[in-house]
Structures are given as C-alpha cells and as structure tokens.
Amino acid sequence: MDCIFCKIANKEIPSQLVFENEYVAAFRDLAPQAPVHILAVPKVHIGSMNEINEENSHLVAEIFKAINKIVEAEGIKDSGYRVISNCGKDGCQSVQHLHFHILGGKKLSESLT
Ligand code: DGP
C-alpha cells in the first residue's frame, strides 16, 4: 500500500522519530504548528477514526499510553497540550492513515475550528 505513514512507521522513509514500540510510531510533523508537534500513529494501517473497531481499538489505547510517555519526555505534561485526529473531508484529513496530532509548548488557540 502506498501510504506515507506506513512507510515512516516501517522506516522506509526517514522521519524524526521520538517514540516507537511494537504498536505505535511517533514522529515530528513536517510542518509544525506549535513548538511541539508530533504525530502518533498505529504501525498497522488504519485509514481513519472511521475504521476503529473491536479488532483494532486496543491500538488506540496503545497510542494514548504512548502519548502519555511522549508528553512527559517533551516536557509538556504539566503545561498542557492538545491531541487532535482529523477525519475525512470536512475534518481536513490529508493523510489517510489514522494519526493523532500532539500539540503543545505554547498557549494554544481557544478555538477548535
Ligand atoms: P492531517 O491534515 O490531520 O491529515 O495531518 C497530516 C499531517 O502530516 C500534516 O500536519 C503534515 C504531516 N505530514 C505529511 N507528510 C509528512 C511526512 O512525510 N513526514 C512528516 N513527518 N509529516 C508529514
């Protein structure tokens, strides 16, 4: 499958990897929108939140356990941060592999839209 985040997770293309385990890869966003902007993805291909189901939902728990470790390592656990997953056309999802943006390191906008 020609998926950029699968290739990053498989180390077929380089990224600034900040965390990885059996289930999850997390790397710095190419176009950061905050001092800390990291993408956490499942290593297996899941297209979007629409494809989360009984079989793969444990991977979402793994991602959030990873996020806990990442925000601690990045020094933003106590100052606060935001986790976003865009889905579909109206959600402005541009990469069709489930990913969670971790944003922090500054006071973020109060607006979510
Ligand atoms: P979204 O719009 O939610 O689908 O966000 C996709 C994000 O992925 C966007 O912030 C830019 C980032 N991105 C796209 N291609 C690459 C890449 O090749 N490497 C890295 N590190 N980030 C990428």
Side-chain angles (χ1 to χ4, degrees):
M1 179 181 297
D2 193 25
C3 168
I4 192 100
F5 287 176
C6 283
K7 287 180 178 164
I8 288 176
N10 292 330
K11 301 202 179 99
E12 289 166 36
I13 63 170
S15 73
Q16 288 184 54
L17 202 65
V18 297
F19 176 93
E20 105 174 296
N21 66 16
E22 188 183 349
Y23 309 106
V24 180
F27 48 90
R28 297 198 190 278
D29 195 289
L30 204 58
Q33 294 182 35
V36 176
H37 188 170
I38 291 165
L39 301 170
V41 310
K43 283 193 167 175
V44 299
H45 187 82
I46 299 173
S48 76
M49 288 192 287
N50 283 345
E51 294 181 14
I52 296 169
N53 57 35
E54 283 295 326
E55 280 70 48
N56 62 24
S57 58
H58 66 285
L59 297 172
V60 178
E62 290 294 338
I63 288 170
F64 276 83
K65 287 195 281 181
I67 287 172
N68 246 327
K69 292 179 180 155
I70 292 163
V71 295
E72 181 136 39
E74 294 290 320
I76 59 169
K77 188 167 192 166
D78 294 331
S79 52
Y81 55 92
R82 185 171 289 157
V83 176
I84 296 171
S85 185
N86 296 323
C87 186
K89 187 162 63 70
D90 283 358
C92 296
Q93 181 181 4
S94 63
V95 177
Q96 310 309 312
H97 181 126
L98 179 65
H99 54 283
F100 293 85
H101 296 258
I102 307 162
L103 296 150
K106 71 168 190 180
K107 175 86 172 164
L108 299 169
S109 161
E110 285 183 16
S111 168
L112 289 177
T113 58

